[in-house]
Amino acid sequence: ARTGDAVTVPSNSADVAIVGGGIMGLATAERLTARGASVIMVDETGATGGATSASGGLVRAFDPDGTHAAWAALSCARCRARGWHGTWPALREHGSLTLIDHRELPRAKAALTTASKTAGASLSAAPAADHQLDILTADEITRLFPDLDVPSHLLGVLEPHAGWLPAKDVAKALR
């Protein structure tokens, strides 16, 4: 049943309760239902409210501090493959540029290596294998994006295939 944007479930029990109806809560619900679990979602702002509505459903494989590099890569690959069942709307690829201090290059390279290995090995689907991550100098960024004035101590991690998911359409695909 549906009340406004809030998703409600007519039963009082489920195998799993997910708190948070944003893109990650939706992805978790899809994964659990794919494995046969019944799921109830609880979110005071309704499906696709909260943080997802503020972030616009951004999907990228690069994790700037490297802590969650493998998860970020897997998540991006799964979103590019249109979810576990292939029913999600297509990722709106517009690219992502993350600026980092040049002193963070070793950590960024480690995160990029993890992201590339994880994305390439995680799925047999083509979208995972072709996810491109490039490190750019400030000059290269300025050439690609003339309206950006980038200080010389910054580098950019460019993901041309990153993008965003329309979270409300993802929620509809899960119903």
Side-chain angles (χ1 to χ4, degrees):
R2 197 180 143 108
T3 308
D5 269 350
V7 176
T8 59
V9 177
S11 71
N12 292 332
S13 65
D15 296 322
V16 178
I18 297 174
V19 178
I23 198 70
M24 294 312 300
L26 294 169
T28 302
E30 184 186 35
R31 179 82 185 261
L32 290 168
T33 57
R35 293 179 177 213
S38 61
V39 174
I40 185 169
M41 294 184 77
V42 180
D43 191 319
E44 68 184 357
T45 62
T48 72
T52 293
S53 65
S55 74
L58 176 65
V59 176
R60 65 179 187 191
F62 178 63
D63 172 35
D65 70 9
T67 306
H68 303 292
W71 288 352
L74 286 169
S75 174
C76 185
R78 180 53 54 204
C79 290
R80 292 186 71 217
R82 300 186 66 181
W84 291 99
H85 302 292
T87 58
W88 286 18
L91 183 70
R92 305 319 200 256
E93 292 185 5
H94 64 78
S96 173
L97 178 67
T98 304
L99 299 177
I100 59 171
D101 188 281
H102 69 86
R103 293 173 295 207
E104 297 298 319
L105 184 59
R107 185 165 50 176
K109 281 187 175 181
L112 289 171
T113 300
T114 300
S116 296
K117 284 181 182 176
T118 303
S122 66
L123 300 169
S124 59
D130 72 355
H131 193 79
Q132 181 180 341
L133 297 128
D134 298 315
I135 297 177
L136 306 174
T137 66
D139 288 341
E140 291 170 322
I141 296 168
T142 302
R143 276 194 297 279
L144 285 172
F145 305 98
D147 292 336
L148 290 180
D149 183 21
V150 180
S152 61
H153 72 281
L154 294 180
L155 300 172
V157 177
L158 179 65
E159 294 180 74
H161 299 294
W164 61 277
L165 278 175
K168 287 186 180 188
D169 292 342
V170 173
K172 288 177 189 173
L174 293 175
R175 290 194 176 119

